[in-house]
Amino acid sequence: MNHRRLILTLSTALLLAVSGPAVAAATPGGTAQPTSLRTENLVAPIGIDAAKPLLSWLPPRGSAGQAAYEIRTIVDTPSRPRDQWDSGKVRSGGTSNIAYGGPALRARDHVRWQVRTWDTAGRVSPWSAESSWEMGLLSASDWSARWIENPSYDYTQADGKEAPLPVFGKAFPVHGPVKQARLYTTGLGMYAATLNGRPVGDAVLEPGQTTYSAEVGYRTYDLTRALRPGNNTIGLQTGSGTYQRVKTPGRYFFGNTLEQYTVYGEPKVIAQLEVTYQDGHREVVSSDGTWRTALGPTTFSSWWSGEEYDARRGDGTGWQQASVVKLSQTTTPRDTTPLRADPRPPITVAQNIKPTAVRKLADGSFILDFGANRSGWPSLSVAGRTGDTVTMIPAEKLAADGTLDVGSTGAKPGNQIAYRYTLSGHGVEKWHPQFTYSGYRYLQVSGLRTAPGRDTVTMDVVYAANPSASEFTSSSDLLNQIHAITERSIQSNMTSVLTDCPDREKGPYTGDNLHNIDALLTDYDMSAYQPQLVRNMATAQRRPGDESPGLIANIAPEFHRVAPVKLQYPQGTIEFLDEVNWGGAIIRIPWQLYLTYSDTRTMATYYGNMVAWLDYEAANKAANKGDIPGLGDWSATDNTTPMQLAITAGYYTAANDMANIAQVLGKTADHAKYMALAAQLASEFTARFRHVDEAGVHYGSDSEASNAMALDAGLVAPADRAAVLDRLVASVRRAGNHITTGSVALGPLFRALQAGNRNDVLYDMVVNPTSPGYGYLIASGHTTLSEDLAGGGSQNHHFLGAVDAWFVRGVAGIQQTPGSVGYRSLTIAPAPVGDLTHASGSYRTPLGTVSSSWTKSAHGFRLEVTVPPGATATVHVPGRDKETVYTVGSGKFSFSAK
């Protein structure tokens, strides 16, 4: 049956079946070529190092679905004749994460590729437009460059101050028309690369964070059009980053008696510029002992506490020859540490924000208000005298008297996060930090000779360039504001890693990632980003010979080590070092990447790490007489939830996901092994936490977290589910429609109530204007999510962002059907709750964009749905007396009901 006939038949069937209460109509589409080709989930990337790159595309617009595909490639290589590869016709509906199957790829290979598809009626599409990718440097032998340092640099000077950060440079000639130029480079702690004084690309805050002893990420920059005839100069400035952590008097320093910090080494860079001329000959400029180095104008650099720059120092002072770094097995990086192409979209400047208000204080300084809490750095444009210093101090809040309140950032008035720029005195000077950033809404600026204009100090907003994956809006201004502050919180913490907050800790906490995974994967396409975060967990995992081998600590990379100290908290005795609902991210996030993107490579690559973590937790459990140390439902308002309930539910979910992973990967024995482990944990959970009283069945303390985690994990027997759902609803009502869970149980709370068709309860909680809750945050003026829903702690945490997934999945009703992978089967079930009259949402699946838009009025209910090619959808249309359910294929559909 062709696509047009399918839609017409469907429309007729709906009209006959409904006969009045609801009407559906479909709009047919045409056929075209596949679009949106991506390699490694990036558009035409250069400098990748995957041995078998993953290829993705979208089916032709208007097609009924893909039944087969054919990929063809041409490899343009400087070292051998062209290689061609054709997959032949492959019978598959898969359109994402298809592995390249051609000849082995070498460093610098440039590959052009196309795809064509066959639809379910056997019709072949035209070949797609051509896309491409380019390989980077794949092994140590591809690098002629060496790591270099400044031989005079020592971060601690005799007077206790930090030394200016090194800069490096190399002048070189270009003598002829250039065909191609590639710069491969990185630096530690951080680097900023220029060519002839201009940035080489849009990426900032490089390199992305990794476990530096295990790997260091590099970027590839296309300088083909940037080179000029004659003399050129490569410049590399350095910053401290997370590589070099020094406690400096008067500067904010995150840490207390629990944390242990390391200075891994001194700033260093490595760079390799390869220039291919039109006549075919090639020249390479590699970092070595001939490069020049000086102590530069960046006089202070700290990932946590700010940056200082003295423009009077020019390009640097004390120029001398660079020294080649002597790496060993005791240095970081080691002499065996590989350089790897960073697979993540880079951090870029996403917005430039001007202040919405400027207010002068009695001391002559100014408070600038940027209208909302965001993550970025101040960008200065100022003229003045030589030696004038402009100081900029960020804060998330103001005190009652209108002065700066830096408390939520972790700083104190005498222990600041600050940015300082000392002027050269030559005209209008422009500057922004390059090696750190802060979360702030307010900026106190001092040292200006005149009042700042709206362009004197602006804010560059920075975050990782993951593509947006969804949209949501509704008739409720409150819901729209909650959506805005949640997305802004995710952006603020989406750097090269997902941090907890953008100021106090900037910690890559694995649990913050896992607890908010629904919203993260709803709001953004993280198919190229999350696998590296999983890799960071794997490289940070304790190895045999370490203390606690197999453990994955609560942050990865583990830049600060937390002592395994037990502390008394309201929920019981906690331990910060290790928690099942943090370390379990090594299993649970790859499983979500498979369900969302059909990504099997991530779970296959780190399967051994998953096994090692489960083995560690089994030993941990046995050593602690069945009670695994941890944090429980962290940050909860209701601390009655048994700590071991949250831990056991998380352990069970990880074991169950592991069993599913083993099954997908064809590991039959392991599938049985981990199914047995999950069954054992389920039995323990039921025996310990299931209770029956005069009102029926409940779990744990009958708290929201207790019942929600039991339901969401699938630990409640089918016969008990309705009763436990009722107890969950009762616990919400008992709490005055407030959310009382912490970060661990918040996702389960939303999922359990949505699965139980109690979106009405979720709505009542979300809009509640009193503390704690999302409505309260809006009512109290928050512009980002705080660390708790009562508005306390850090003012820019993302881990309580589960509401954003509910907006798209619940209110707009766009869900993946249970058992589906890659959104091939959809459920559209909008929730016209409360006083909402309209909501619309969209989500970009691996097959294309699915959308749902509904309007409710006195005359009835209208629903507009778009289903992408290759997907099917079960559509639930609410009516006056009952819900009507339809099954549709791809296309655009309209439904109406009284």
Side-chain angles (χ1 to χ4, degrees), residues 420-435:
R420 292 188 175 92
Y421 178 79
T422 301
L423 280 70
S424 68
H426 302 304
V428 176
E429 303 179 43
K430 297 181 183 294
W431 176 78
H432 65 73
Q434 297 190 92
F435 306 115

Side-chain angles (χ1 to χ4, degrees), residues 226-362:
L227 291 175
R228 64 193 183 196
N231 288 331
N232 292 259
T233 302
I234 299 174
L236 289 164
Q237 300 177 57
T238 62
S240 294
T242 56
Y243 183 72
Q244 182 176 258
R245 186 76 184 273
V246 182
K247 193 167 187 176
T248 305
R251 287 293 199 164
Y252 170 66
F253 184 85
F254 169 67
N256 53 42
T257 56
L258 288 178
E259 285 85 14
Q260 305 164 42
Y261 300 95
T262 303
V263 174
Y264 292 101
E266 298 184 352
K268 52 184 62 67
V269 297
I270 186 169
Q272 187 163 311
L273 173 64
E274 300 184 354
V275 181
T276 303
Y277 290 92
Q278 291 289 354
D279 63 8
H281 85 277
R282 183 167 159 270
E283 294 179 352
V284 180
V285 180
S286 297
S287 55
D288 58 19
T290 68
W291 283 46
R292 304 282 286 169
T293 182
L295 298 182
T298 300
T299 55
F300 175 83
S301 168
S302 168
W303 187 243
W304 288 269
S305 56
E307 193 167 319
E308 294 182 4
Y309 189 98
D310 189 342
R312 296 172 299 179
R313 297 176 61 84
D315 292 331
T317 60
W319 285 92
Q320 60 185 311
Q321 298 298 113
S323 57
V324 175
V325 179
K326 296 178 181 179
L327 300 179
S328 69
Q329 284 298 294
T330 60
T331 60
T332 302
R334 299 170 183 157
D335 52 6
T336 54
T337 300
L339 295 168
R340 288 191 65 247
D342 194 328
R344 294 166 286 196
I347 304 170
T348 59
V349 176
Q351 292 176 278
N352 178 263
I353 307 293
K354 296 181 179 181
T356 59
V358 177
R359 183 167 48 86
K360 189 174 183 178
L361 299 182

